[in-house]
Amino acid sequence: MFVDTSNPSIMKHLISFLFIVLGSVSVYSQNITVKLIDANTKKPIPYANIKTGDYSGVISNEEGYFTLHDVENDTQITISCLGYKNKNITVKDIKSLNFSIALEESINELNTVYISAEKPNADYIVSKARQNLSKNYDSKLYKHKVFSRETAYMDFNTLNFDIEKTSHVKKQQLESANKSLDSLSKAIINSKTKHFKDFKADLYMDDSLKTKLVVQKATELIDQKNNLSIEDVQKRAQDVILKYLDTTLTYKLKTGLFKIEDSLSLNEKEDKETPENEYNIKNLKEQTTSLLKRAQFYNNSFASEILDADLYEYSFQDISYFNDDLIYVINYKPRRSKAKYTGKLFIADSTYAITKVDFKYADGKRGQKVNLKLILGVKYIENMRRGTIIYQKDSVNKYQPQYIKFEEGRYFYVSRPLKFIENSPEKNKTSFDFTIEGDILTKQELLLTGNSKISLDDFKKVAEDKNVPYVTLHSYDASVWKQDQTLEPSTEMKEFKSEE
């Protein structure tokens, strides 16, 4: 077909035609956010698998929501979730349901499928899972497309500042300083520090499980005003006290037997240079690799230890159903004092592959503990750990982690006697007590959106940066991750606001 582009009239009609075509495409290509609910209870369904292709898709978040980007009205979506019937639906149908999809339980269907006079043996099922690990899983020489989210909270339960004695500050100034410190304490306790960090990357793993990380995009959603560490809190208290001391002098600061600073001064100009908004790749890689390795099966790994019959005892709980496969639900709990976790294993009847793991500290178990409260005024307890790992088959018929959630809770207590000592012949002193107590909660989530085999040469050719820039956000902005496969943010994250 020949088009005479020199003819203005023909060109005008051609351009108009192109606009109509492009406009129709933009009308039917859209982003949709959907909620999954249980058809009977109406409760949200978390961690459902939503596929738009054989190996592409997302999962629903803890509140049952998921978002799909650039889909058309006739796009076919397959939704599968442990314990529920699969559902095939189009975007057009989802719209007619007001973006809320109800899934039906598959319990009744199971009653007709599974017929046995004997209760399945949990020890036998777990032993078969151990025997089939090498057949079902492969960790070496892979490229994983990942999306990572870290959510952190710091809650100060107790915060006390008090100037006990001073050799040169008037009583009125001392009272005023303690009032200022009291106001600071209340403001910090009410701050409810929290932040969210997201990044998208490719994680490469070689034949020895060493990794390289290439980050494409990273964001930080944080309230800088209320982003406080223990050191930040101490610094704010020190600044309050300095205001009531002689501003023409500098001071040494001691805590116990240790000298912290030689020349604290109110008159010193603070460095106003804004730090570069960059993450250290090494830190991101260690965090991501640690999370992924918890879900992989190799000698002495976290997931493998749960299958150790010397450490854990198993009991059959139920059967469920997922993608036309029977799933055994197996409870586990510590058999030996070395074992720390309790939870559930979900094991496929056809392959004896573990498709899901739920875990948490068993009663009376905890992680690291440091109690030097009487000697150094420090106490630390890792008192909560729990999580979920979900697996799915990749293009070479191996099971790979699709979603990993890992939560930790830690209690801390710090009590420091601080002393300001003038750098002067008089060496006037101001004694100050600093006590802080609270809890830190961190939640790490890793979504693997694609997996592919690589060669050792491929791994060696990957260039890894030292740092990666990130974008600081003051409120959640969905457009930042447009067209990316990500975890749907929680309501809390969507509603988060901070001062610029």
Side-chain angles (χ1 to χ4, degrees):
M1 178 181 178
F2 173 75
V3 178
D4 183 5
T5 56
S6 63
N7 188 318
S9 177
I10 292 177
M11 282 300 296
K12 181 179 179 181
H13 288 296
L14 179 60
I15 292 171
S16 298
F17 173 75
L18 289 174
F19 271 114
I20 292 171
V21 171
L22 292 173
S24 64
V25 171
S26 64
V27 167
Y28 292 107
S29 182
Q30 61 215 292
N31 301 335
I32 60 169
T33 298
V34 187
K35 186 174 184 178
L36 291 181
I37 59 172
D38 184 293
N40 294 321
T41 66
K42 308 304 178 185
K43 291 182 178 180
I45 301 176
Y47 314 135
N49 197 3
I50 296 91
K51 284 190 173 184
T52 54
D54 289 339
Y55 304 104
S56 62
V58 294
I59 68 169
S60 57
N61 70 4
E62 292 176 325
E63 298 171 344
Y65 287 100
F66 67 89
T67 294
L68 296 175
H69 296 283
D70 291 333
V71 289
E72 299 178 359
N73 280 342
D74 59 354
T75 299
Q76 290 283 340
I77 297 166
T78 301
I79 302 172
S80 55
C81 186
L82 189 67
Y84 292 90
K85 295 179 181 179
N86 286 6
K87 193 174 189 73
N88 296 307
I89 194 169
T90 65
V91 170
K92 183 179 179 180
D93 293 333
I94 292 173
K95 287 181 178 179
S96 67
L97 294 171
N98 199 26
F99 302 97
S100 178
I101 301 174
L103 299 185
E104 296 181 3
E105 291 186 40
S106 55
I107 294 175
N108 293 333
E109 190 172 320
L110 286 173
N111 290 335
T112 61
V113 173
Y114 186 82
I115 303 174
S116 175
E118 297 182 3
K119 189 176 182 180
N121 183 279
D123 290 324
Y124 173 78
I125 295 169
V126 173
S127 70
K128 293 292 288 184
R130 282 196 302 270
Q131 293 171 21
N132 285 275
L133 287 179
S134 60
K135 178 182 176 181
N136 287 322
Y137 305 92
D138 185 13
S139 303
K140 298 178 179 179
L141 291 172
Y142 262 88
K143 172 187 174 182
H144 301 283
K145 292 183 176 297
V146 302
F147 176 81
S148 171
R149 172 168 296 149
E150 178 187 291
T151 307
Y153 307 86
M154 181 175 283
D155 190 3
F156 298 102
N157 302 322
T158 302
L159 186 55
N160 293 322
F161 306 112
D162 189 32
I163 301 176
E164 288 192 337
K165 59 182 179 180
T166 180
S167 56
H168 61 297
V169 178
K170 294 180 181 179
K171 182 179 178 181
Q172 186 176 359
Q173 287 180 300
L174 184 61
E175 290 176 354
S176 181
N178 278 324
K179 284 182 180 179
S180 297
L181 291 170
D182 185 58
S183 297
L184 177 63
S185 298
K186 292 176 180 177
I188 292 173
I189 287 175
N190 292 329
S191 66
K192 303 296 182 184
T193 299
K194 59 185 170 184
H195 70 251
F196 307 87
K197 294 181 179 180
D198 290 351
F199 70 85
K200 174 189 174 186
D202 292 330
L203 181 68
Y204 298 83
M205 188 166 281
D206 73 0
D207 56 355
S208 65
L209 300 183
K210 292 181 180 177
T211 58
K212 291 182 180 179
L213 187 71
V214 178
V215 178
Q216 288 93 36
K217 190 187 300 184
T219 65
E220 183 175 75
L221 181 57
I222 192 168
D223 186 347
Q224 293 288 0
K225 181 179 178 182
N226 292 321
N227 182 36
L228 301 171
S229 65
I230 294 174
E231 289 73 20
D232 294 327
V233 172
Q234 180 177 310
K235 173 75 166 54
R236 291 193 183 190
Q238 289 170 196
D239 290 344
V240 170
I241 294 170
L242 282 170
K243 292 179 181 179
Y244 295 93
L245 302 181
D246 190 337
T247 60
T248 64
L249 299 173
T250 60
Y251 298 84
K252 294 183 180 70
L253 180 61
K254 288 188 176 181
T255 174
L257 300 174
F258 305 100
K259 181 171 67 175
I260 297 177
E261 182 63 59
D262 276 322
S263 57
L264 284 172
S265 172
L266 185 64
N267 285 340
E268 287 182 355
K269 292 183 178 179
E270 294 183 6
D271 184 4
K272 295 297 184 181
E273 184 180 351
T274 303
E276 293 185 4
N277 286 353
E278 291 188 343
Y279 290 138
N280 181 278
I281 287 289
K282 181 181 178 181
N283 293 338
L284 292 184
K285 181 174 68 173
E286 288 176 353
Q287 170 188 319
T288 308
T289 302
S290 174
L291 207 56
L292 179 58
K293 285 186 175 181
R294 286 182 183 277
Q296 294 176 327
F297 296 93
Y298 55 89
N299 288 339
N300 300 319
S301 73
F302 168 79
S304 294
E305 285 188 359
I306 290 176
L307 299 181
D308 189 340
D310 289 333
L311 295 176
Y312 289 92
E313 60 179 87
Y314 310 99
S315 59
F316 177 82
Q317 178 184 321
D318 202 354
I319 54 175
S320 189
Y321 194 71
F322 181 69
N323 281 343
D324 300 322
D325 201 355
L326 284 172
I327 303 293
Y328 299 109
V329 183
I330 306 295
N331 292 327
Y332 64 91
K333 64 181 181 179
R335 184 190 298 274
R336 299 280 185 268
S337 59
K338 182 181 176 182
K340 291 186 175 182
Y341 298 95
T342 185
K344 299 181 189 299
L345 297 170
F346 299 80
I347 302 175
D349 174 67
S350 60
T351 59
Y352 287 101
I354 297 168
T355 61
K356 183 180 177 184
V357 179
D358 289 333
F359 62 90
K360 65 178 180 178
Y361 277 146
D363 290 343
K365 301 293 183 178
R366 58 174 178 261
Q368 292 183 338
K369 178 181 178 181
V370 176
N371 190 356
L372 300 173
K373 193 171 181 179
L374 297 179
I375 302 172
L376 297 177
V378 175
K379 187 175 181 179
Y380 171 92
I381 304 174
E382 187 185 275
N383 51 21
M384 187 274 284
R385 183 180 285 181
R386 64 189 177 202
T388 295
I389 305 169
I390 298 173
Y391 302 86
Q392 72 167 354
K393 281 187 179 181
D394 64 11
S395 58
V396 294
N397 221 31
K398 295 288 186 178
Y399 286 85
Q400 295 291 338
Q402 181 194 19
Y403 172 74
I404 308 166
K405 180 180 73 171
F406 184 72
E407 293 180 276
E408 276 188 315
R410 288 154 285 179
Y411 163 86
F412 64 89
Y413 171 92
V414 178
S415 183
R416 293 175 179 170
L418 303 175
K419 188 178 292 184
F420 292 82
I421 306 172
E422 285 183 359
N423 286 322
S424 69
E426 292 79 14
K427 296 188 180 297
N428 290 317
K429 301 177 180 65
T430 298
S431 297
F432 164 61
D433 278 347
F434 163 72
T435 302
I436 184 169
E437 180 184 29
D439 296 283
I440 300 171
L441 175 65
T442 58
K443 178 169 69 175
Q444 294 174 285
E445 296 175 275
L446 193 66
L447 175 67
L448 288 85
T449 60
N451 310 283
S452 57
K453 290 291 290 182
I454 59 172
S455 68
L456 189 56
D457 284 340
D458 292 333
F459 179 84
K460 291 177 179 178
K461 290 176 183 177
V462 175
E464 192 177 53
D465 295 327
K466 289 185 177 181
N467 299 294
V468 60
Y470 64 85
V471 177
T472 300
L473 304 175
H474 301 287
S475 60
Y476 182 75
D477 184 357
S479 66
V480 173
W481 297 102
K482 188 178 180 181
Q483 298 180 341
D484 290 313
Q485 293 184 50
T486 67
L487 288 165
E488 180 68 13
S490 64
T491 301
E492 177 187 45
M493 188 173 180
K494 289 179 180 179
E495 294 176 350
F496 182 86
K497 302 287 184 184
S498 69
E499 296 182 18
E500 297 190 18

